[in-house]
Amino acid sequence: MTDADSLSTASDSPPAVDTRSVDRHLAALGDKARDYARNARSENTQRAYDADWRQFSRWLRRQGFDPLPPDPQTVGLYLAACMEGGRGQEPVSVATLERRLSGICWHYRQLGEPLDTGDRHISTVLAGIRRAHGRPPVQKEAIFADDLRAMLAVLDNDLRGLRDKAMLAIGFAGGLRRSEIVGLDCGPDQSDDGRGWIEIFGRAETAADESATNDGGLLLTINGKTGWREVEIGRGTSPATCPIAMLETWMRLGRIAHGPLFRAIARKNGGVGAERLTDKHVARLVQKTALAAGVRGDLPEGDRKLAFSGHSLRAGLASSAQIEEAHVQRHLGHASAEMTRRYQRKRDRFRVNLTKAAGL
């Protein structure tokens, strides 16, 4: 072989590949893909699905069954066992059972072993359970505007009270889910765990000017359950009930200018921390203030404690706003008008009278 042939052969050979570098890159991509897969579900849903899988796995071990491959007949037996209770556990509701089945199916898909829920051992058992144990959906009580005013009145005017007032008012006026409330940042790209951000337009002084045709407002950009959406919140007629005025007061006195909008407050010195509140705070806040304000005082005390949740604010706006349904649907970010109607507690009850329309 001549020197020229040797050079030609060397130039035609592929460059050496660092397999360790490729493996590290692929491993990093695998970790990122798993993170994206987990983000396909909300944190609450993911926690519930993980708990469902753990409960199902424990049941399988007690019965001596293997989790793989997925066996529809075994899953059907598990569904029946959940409804029977036992071992110190109460029977579950049909809604909880359906959620557990969804969690089991999700985990099997992640394992590359999809579960066939159309198999008769699952579908027939589930249909029988629904027929025997099904109940109308239990809806949380809606918080109406008068209720909200009473709830705001029971809160103090310290930092914690000002923060909670802003959360209740923004949650109601925006028709927001509790995770959307606590997920707000002061601006875009300010945190890794944010669900959206705010923009304030106009000045607070114009809020009380009823002659103003457009006094600005608050624009929320939210990554919600059905994707990205924009929510407009207009200014109120009084600073005492204006959601934006309350938010501006909280931001000014709490010195909130960057990062999470609603944060924890230290118990010792009352200072504002850097940590974002969890969505559970919203649920506890609604329940506590609704009880203190005497909302639905006609209910027994035990029922009142269970009557309210974070969704009560969302349902209250949907039920109170006397505007076209399409506007409410877009504001709440619902994929269908039917879902919006489920939130409108008693708003349209008996408005359409088919008895009279039929001539009786």
Side-chain angles (χ1 to χ4, degrees), residues 303-317:
D303 292 342
R304 287 184 68 218
K305 290 182 179 179
L306 301 175
F308 303 100
S309 72
H311 256 58
S312 296
L313 298 173
R314 193 166 160 84
L317 178 78

Side-chain angles (χ1 to χ4, degrees), residues 122-358:
I122 295 178
S123 60
T124 306
V125 170
L126 189 58
I129 290 173
R130 286 170 175 155
R131 184 177 180 86
H133 301 283
R135 296 290 184 272
V138 177
Q139 294 182 317
K140 296 296 182 180
E141 289 288 332
I143 297 295
F144 294 89
D146 289 342
D147 301 326
L148 182 65
R149 293 190 189 97
M151 291 162 62
L152 295 172
V154 304
L155 292 169
D156 296 328
N157 285 319
D158 57 6
L159 268 180
R160 182 173 281 104
L162 293 173
R163 178 202 65 191
D164 290 346
K165 286 182 180 181
M167 292 180 67
L168 288 174
I170 294 297
F172 177 87
L176 304 181
R177 300 175 177 90
R178 63 186 192 180
S179 60
E180 294 172 347
I181 298 174
V182 298
L184 289 171
D185 286 342
C186 297
D189 302 322
Q190 292 185 353
S191 69
D192 294 332
D193 59 345
R195 298 285 298 274
W197 64 87
I198 67 167
E199 295 176 83
I200 300 177
F201 298 90
R203 297 192 309 164
E205 288 78 7
T206 63
D209 183 6
E210 296 183 4
S211 63
T213 57
N214 186 354
D215 49 22
L218 178 68
L219 179 65
L220 311 178
T221 303
I222 297 175
N223 185 10
K225 197 173 182 179
T226 56
W228 287 97
R229 76 181 191 278
E230 290 186 344
V231 176
E232 297 179 3
I233 298 179
R235 294 187 181 273
T237 56
S238 167
T241 58
C242 175
I244 306 173
M246 285 184 253
L247 179 63
E248 289 172 325
T249 299
W250 156 245
M251 294 179 69
R252 184 177 68 256
L253 298 182
R255 298 181 180 180
I256 309 296
H258 189 275
L261 186 60
F262 296 115
R263 309 177 183 191
I265 296 177
R267 292 186 178 275
K268 290 185 178 180
N269 57 20
V272 179
E275 303 84 10
R276 185 188 306 278
L277 289 173
T278 69
D279 59 352
K280 292 181 180 178
H281 178 85
V282 179
R284 290 193 294 263
L285 175 63
V286 171
Q287 291 170 348
K288 180 185 72 174
T289 53
L291 292 175
V295 180
R296 287 307 310 270
D298 56 307
L299 294 175
E301 190 65 20
D303 292 342
R304 287 184 68 218
K305 290 182 179 179
L306 301 175
F308 303 100
S309 72
H311 256 58
S312 296
L313 298 173
R314 193 166 160 84
L317 178 78
S319 304
S320 302
Q322 299 296 321
I323 59 175
E324 292 182 18
E325 187 178 84
H327 293 302
V328 179
Q329 178 183 344
R330 183 170 63 252
H331 195 81
L332 270 62
H334 285 153
S336 67
E338 178 59 33
M339 179 59 70
T340 301
R341 295 186 192 110
R342 295 182 189 178
Y343 279 73
Q344 294 172 328
R345 313 284 197 268
K346 305 178 183 178
R347 194 185 82 162
D348 296 323
R349 186 171 289 174
F350 303 124
R351 179 175 294 184
V352 177
N353 189 331
L354 292 182
T355 306
K356 288 184 178 180

Side-chain angles (χ1 to χ4, degrees), residues 46-58:
Q46 190 61 57
R47 281 195 295 268
Y49 280 5
D50 290 344
D52 294 335
W53 181 256
R54 289 193 299 270
Q55 206 274 346
F56 176 59
S57 298
R58 287 194 297 269

